[in-house]
Amino acid sequence: MDFELCIPCLFGLEGLVGNELRHMDMTNVRPENGRVYFNTDEAGLARANIRSRFGERVLLVMGRFPARTFDELFEGVKAIPWERYIPKNGAFPVKGHSLDSALHSVPDCQKIIKKAAADRLAAKYKVNWLPEDGALYQIQFAIMKDQAVLYLDTTGTGLFKRGYRPAHVAAPLRETLAAALVDIAGYRGRGDFCDPFCGSGTIAIEAALAAKNRAPGIRRHFSAERWDFLPGAIWDTVREEARAREFAGDYHIFASDIDPKAVTMARENAKRAGVDDCISFSVADAREFSRNTDRGVIVTNPPYGERLMEKREAEALYAAFGRAYRETHGWQLYLLSSHTEFERSFGRTASKKRKLYNGTIKCDLFMYR
């Protein structure tokens, strides 16, 4: 069975998602703004959920059509063969968004889509009422410039929820973005890796998962595992396939923070992720950062001065860390910040910058090589 799927992602990560899908042997990979479309089979659907490091969720494309009026939206939704996928007792709530379109009221669109899908399913199953007490088949919609795309969400809880971070310090970095920073820095388990502003440990944990080549979703479950039209065995098969791809090695990953509570939490998160044996945690002040090894990579996300600290305090911290970094030799630095005056405070212009988003916060990844 061939499916068209879509992986939404944070802006700036489309290329990374596209590359990882090609490495999973997906076909017709097509990156767009904030999402990547591709084609695959049942096993590929499971593989995308279990192995994607950078995507937010995996959506099954159900149909596309113009939706300039509510009548067009209703008829377009009703024409989709929902009965091939949603059983008589399947639960099918609706959520989505509309941008630059005549149909700008999301609640009204939700109601129309729900009614159209329900009418189609009730007619096909020859019933007057759908109990919706079975597995979840979350319908998602995106209406952009009067064009509607309808999806079924195969993932459930977002892919960034790896399951290792039930508690975290303030202003956490999303796991998918942390994994992207590690990938952009080129860390694959060789050499030393360090995060001197580790917070809840997300960057170091994602570095350890990448070093081990451990599939980030291998320990969690997905909505589509309960779907009748997908063979149940594929999930176990894909998990075994992912385990066979893991590496074992001697990794040098260091994570520190000035806050002892954050370090304790980071250590607990690493244990839940099964990588606590790969990471050395310590309480340390980044302003006194010092490494004696010949070379390595620093990937970090210091406080921005927006939610955690006053901007002046953040600037003083950047300046002190900049002085400490200049005393090191052979270390590359990849630092994510939304502070518009970061380079001036840090005391050095970046070799390269890359625009990324931490949720809705526009940031730059400053690269010092």
Side-chain angles (χ1 to χ4, degrees):
M1 200 169 181
D2 183 68
F3 299 117
E4 182 185 7
L5 298 172
C6 173
I7 294 188
C9 61
L10 295 171
F11 286 107
L13 303 191
E14 298 90 348
L16 274 65
V17 174
N19 286 339
E20 72 173 352
L21 290 172
R22 293 183 191 98
H23 288 146
M24 292 184 220
D25 297 324
M26 308 303 184
T27 60
N28 199 19
V29 176
R30 307 173 319 274
E32 296 183 4
N33 282 340
R35 66 196 66 240
V36 181
Y37 288 96
F38 63 103
N39 290 78
T40 190
D41 57 10
E42 292 98 331
L45 185 154
R47 194 176 299 121
N49 273 296
I50 290 168
R51 285 175 49 186
S52 178
R53 294 190 188 282
F54 317 120
E56 297 301 303
R57 58 185 62 251
V58 181
L59 304 175
L60 174 59
V61 179
M62 299 297 293
R64 293 182 178 85
F65 50 87
R68 292 154 297 210
T69 66
F70 285 127
D71 283 343
E72 275 191 329
L73 180 62
F74 183 89
E75 295 302 329
V77 173
K78 194 172 180 181
I80 293 171
W82 299 103
E83 68 280 0
R84 294 182 191 171
Y85 304 91
I86 303 175
K88 183 159 57 174
N89 69 335
F92 55 103
V94 178
K95 63 182 178 182
H97 63 269
S98 178
L99 295 170
D100 299 327
S101 299
L103 302 181
H104 53 81
S105 170
V106 169
D108 287 337
C109 292
Q110 285 176 295
K111 290 174 188 173
I112 293 292
I113 292 168
K114 179 73 176 185
K115 178 167 174 39
D119 283 3
R120 167 101 187 194
L121 289 168
K124 292 295 180 179
Y125 290 124
K126 297 181 171 54
V127 295
N128 295 320
W129 178 72
L130 297 162
E132 294 197 58
D133 56 2
L136 174 66
Y137 295 77
Q138 175 71 60
I139 296 176
Q140 289 213 19
F141 68 91
I143 305 175
M144 297 184 70
K145 296 181 179 178
D146 298 325
Q147 293 292 312
V149 187
L150 273 290
Y151 309 95
L152 284 179
D153 179 5
T154 75
T155 302
T157 303
L159 292 178
F160 68 92
K161 295 280 191 180
R162 317 286 208 220
Y164 63 71
R165 198 175 67 175
H168 43 256
V169 294
L173 186 71
R174 188 168 283 203
E175 291 90 327
T176 44
L177 181 55
L181 300 182
V182 171
D183 190 78
I184 292 167
Y187 180 71
R188 303 291 185 275
R190 296 186 181 90
D192 286 9
F193 182 98
C194 187
D195 178 5
F197 297 93
C198 75
S200 56
T202 309
I203 291 175
I205 291 168
E206 291 297 327
L209 292 172
K212 285 178 169 286
N213 199 35
R214 176 169 295 162
I218 201 164
R219 295 185 171 196
R220 55 160 290 181
H221 292 282
F222 306 93
S223 289
E225 290 187 66
R226 297 185 61 202
W227 291 2
D228 293 341
F229 69 90
L230 292 172
I234 62 169
W235 299 91
D236 288 338
T237 300
V238 171
R239 285 190 177 92
E240 285 305 311
E241 170 192 284
R243 287 189 185 96
R245 295 171 55 84
E246 289 190 15
F247 305 139
D250 181 22
Y251 305 114
H252 303 277
I253 302 173
F254 305 93
S256 58
D257 199 281
I258 197 170
D259 181 358
K261 290 181 180 177
V263 173
T264 298
M265 198 175 298
R267 192 177 282 115
E268 290 170 353
N269 289 342
K271 188 172 183 179
R272 275 188 285 268
V275 295
D276 52 316
D277 59 327
C278 304
I279 308 170
S280 297
F281 290 100
S282 62
V283 177
D285 189 340
R287 294 171 293 189
E288 299 169 5
F289 179 81
S290 176
R291 306 305 302 180
N292 297 321
T293 49
D294 290 335
R295 59 190 297 275
V297 61
I298 302 164
V299 180
T300 194
N301 175 223
Y304 297 160
E306 293 180 9
R307 289 182 290 176
L308 293 181
M309 304 172 70
E310 292 297 326
K311 284 197 171 185
R312 287 182 183 176
E313 290 177 336
E315 288 168 3
L317 176 61
Y318 298 157
F321 179 58
R323 288 191 292 272
Y325 173 68
R326 286 191 290 277
E327 293 298 314
T328 66
H329 300 282
W331 281 77
Q332 297 184 14
L333 171 63
Y334 294 78
L335 186 148
L336 185 73
S337 178
S338 68
H339 200 297
T340 54
E341 297 294 319
F342 172 77
E343 288 168 297
R344 179 185 59 77
S345 301
F346 189 70
R348 183 175 162 189
T349 302
S351 310
K352 189 178 179 182
K353 289 193 291 187
R354 180 166 177 168
K355 205 168 294 300
L356 295 171
Y357 284 81
N358 183 9
T360 59
I361 302 172
K362 186 178 176 181
C363 300
D364 282 300
L365 179 61
F366 298 93
M367 309 180 203
Y368 294 87
R369 296 171 178 167

